[in-house]
Amino acid sequence: MIPLHICGYIPESINEGAGLRAVVFISGCKHACPGCFNPSSWNFRAGKPFTEEEQLRIIQEIADNPLLDGLTLCGGDPFFSAPACTDFIRKYKELCPGKTLWAYTGFVYEKLLEDPDMRSLAELCDVIIDGPFQMELKDTTLLFRGSRNQRIIDVQASLSEDSVITL
């Protein structure tokens, strides 16, 4: 198994979710969507190893920044590395109570729930932007997503209602 890598980290962003967010770009994606904004992230070894020390450093930085609303996982696709990302997010949730978690994925939400590893990560999220980027549905006017097929899903409400609830 390839150790978890990250190919980027932004300490403060307003582009990958509501409010001011830290953003971690998890390396590795097999969707290979034509027109992807970040094809350099497809390689699971892109960037650098996301060691426990680096994870804790980023989590502490997030905890120490009172302006941040939360963390967003981008990629690549974090759900291809769900077990390792779940471990990271459990630490994040423990050390950053009250801060939210958003995640981007090329999988549709319903498929995430079918796989036990992906479901474990999904259940820790507050919001998931799901679905592959589709060039023919590209729309630069959309908030927080690149194509019209992608949904902004309120995960906790969706789990509670056992139905997809979008924002």
Side-chain angles (χ1 to χ4, degrees):
M1 185 166 108
I2 298 171
L4 188 62
H5 280 62
I6 60 169
C7 53
Y9 168 61
I10 302 172
E12 295 182 350
S13 175
I14 58 169
N15 296 317
E16 291 84 13
L20 188 63
R21 314 193 63 74
V23 183
V24 173
F25 293 85
I26 303 295
S27 301
C29 185
K30 296 178 186 177
H31 298 298
C33 302
C36 172
F37 85 101
N38 197 10
S40 64
S41 70
W42 295 355
N43 185 326
F44 284 84
R45 294 186 191 278
K48 62 183 182 178
F50 198 31
T51 63
E52 186 170 348
E53 293 77 22
E54 181 69 0
Q55 292 176 29
L56 292 173
R57 184 192 71 75
I58 287 175
I59 291 168
Q60 191 60 56
E61 191 173 301
I62 294 168
D64 291 343
N65 186 341
L67 300 177
L68 287 177
D69 293 289
L71 169 67
T72 299
L73 294 179
C74 288
D77 189 326
F79 286 90
F80 279 112
S81 302
C85 287
T86 298
D87 291 342
F88 167 59
I89 295 307
R90 285 188 178 129
K91 291 178 224 163
Y92 162 75
K93 291 280 192 171
E94 180 182 327
L95 297 171
C96 298
K99 293 193 187 284
T100 61
L101 176 67
W102 284 46
Y104 282 80
T105 183
F107 293 100
V108 294
Y109 175 78
E110 294 83 354
K111 286 290 183 193
L112 297 176
L113 299 183
E114 293 174 6
D115 178 277
D117 289 334
M118 290 191 219
R119 184 181 182 108
S120 292
L121 178 57
E123 288 175 345
L124 294 170
C125 295
D126 295 290
V127 174
I128 290 176
I129 292 85
D130 81 332
F133 173 76
Q134 294 181 0
M135 183 62 94
E136 64 277 8
L137 299 176
K138 181 178 180 178
D139 185 342
T140 58
T141 67
L142 296 171
L143 192 60
F144 307 131
R145 54 202 195 278
S147 58
R148 289 187 301 279
N149 63 298
Q150 296 170 315
R151 302 174 292 180
I152 302 174
I153 298 170
D154 181 329
V155 175
Q156 299 309 310
S158 297
L159 290 169
S160 177
E161 297 293 322
D162 197 28
S163 178
V164 175
I165 309 296
T166 59
L167 297 173

